[in-house]
Amino acid sequence: MLALYGHRFSSFTWKALIPLYANGTAFEFRDVDPGAEDGPANMDFVRKVHPAGKFPVLVDGETTVIEATSIAEYLAVHHPGEAPLIPADPAQATTARMMDRVFDNYVMGTAQLVVNAYLADAQNPDPQQVELGREGLKRAYTWLDAWLAENTLPPHVSLVTCAAAPSLFYADWVKRIPADCPRVAALREEALALPAVARCVEDARPYRDYFPLGAPERD
């Protein structure tokens, strides 16, 4: 059976869980939370197999796959299901991979600048990093809204869904999606309504105190 090592509050763990849930793929979740029964041992395994000790990590028999995007690609090839994950058309697949990088790098990655500032000093976060992150998110939201006005994303659940859902979920906690980016707000709402994503949201709910900025009372 497949085994996924990760944490239920982790955005990149969501990215690996969403395709598994969407296709009903049987797997065992191996929690790295320190409070979990096998959490420390599971985290030791992650540190052993990942060059930076990061999760998620997927194990399929003798095969170990690191990095959430690669996990989604691996599942599309070796454990396909109803959810397309990677479009069959090469041009659409290229678009899916491009947008995957946009959501990881410029939405989630930019939001992480603010999160990291609060992790470093919750009482006095670096104002430059906070401003850089929030302004970067506004720029990313504006770009995305314009892109969505002229382009169509692959149908759910694709690699884009796997990246967009957790990215937009947490980024909106860092800086609300503004009213002048209605397409981005609609995409977030649409993604959170998907059963696979909603399951991730609910499973992560007990860990909301972990969010260093303070989790909003919504979603």
Side-chain angles (χ1 to χ4, degrees):
M1 181 180 289
L2 292 170
L4 183 73
Y5 292 75
H7 195 288
R8 295 192 187 278
F9 197 62
S10 154
S11 62
F12 287 107
T13 299
W14 284 23
K15 188 174 177 180
L17 284 170
I18 290 167
L20 289 164
Y21 290 157
N23 278 326
T25 307
F27 74 101
E28 178 183 331
F29 186 76
R30 296 183 180 171
D31 198 344
V32 302
D33 187 84
E37 181 177 356
D38 296 324
N42 291 336
M43 193 64 222
D44 284 345
F45 175 80
V46 170
R47 292 191 184 102
K48 178 181 177 181
V49 300
H50 191 287
K54 293 183 177 182
F55 45 85
V57 172
L58 182 76
V59 176
D60 185 9
E62 298 299 315
T63 302
T64 298
V65 186
I66 64 172
E67 298 297 304
T69 295
S70 297
I71 290 171
E73 294 256 15
Y74 180 88
L75 292 171
V77 173
H78 297 282
H79 298 275
E82 291 184 5
L85 299 184
I86 306 298
D89 177 79
Q92 291 183 1
T94 298
T95 298
R97 292 183 173 102
M98 177 184 76
M99 296 307 293
D100 168 75
R101 305 322 305 141
V102 168
F103 281 107
D104 274 9
N105 292 331
Y106 307 116
V107 180
M108 195 68 252
T110 303
Q112 194 66 42
L113 295 174
V114 181
V115 172
N116 287 345
Y118 276 82
L119 285 172
D121 189 342
Q123 300 305 315
N124 297 288
D126 185 332
Q128 290 185 330
Q129 288 298 300
V130 172
E131 180 69 11
L132 183 65
R134 287 182 168 148
E135 285 302 309
L137 280 176
K138 178 61 171 69
R139 185 164 58 250
Y141 293 153
T142 300
W143 185 91
L144 278 168
D145 208 74
W147 190 91
L148 290 168
E150 298 183 359
N151 298 273
T152 302
L153 290 174
H156 298 306
V157 168
S158 75
L159 176 63
V160 183
T161 315
C162 301
S167 297
L168 292 175
F169 179 81
Y170 285 115
D172 188 64
W173 283 11
V174 173
K175 180 176 178 59
R176 291 298 299 266
I177 298 168
D180 60 358
C181 294
R183 297 173 189 84
V184 179
L187 177 61
R188 183 180 188 271
E189 182 177 359
E190 179 182 322
L192 295 186
L194 296 169
V197 178
R199 183 173 176 181
C200 289
V201 173
E202 289 308 309
D203 287 348
R205 197 173 292 278
Y207 303 99
R208 290 192 173 197
D209 287 346
Y210 285 16
F211 196 66
L213 283 72
E217 295 183 3
R218 52 187 173 86
D219 299 321

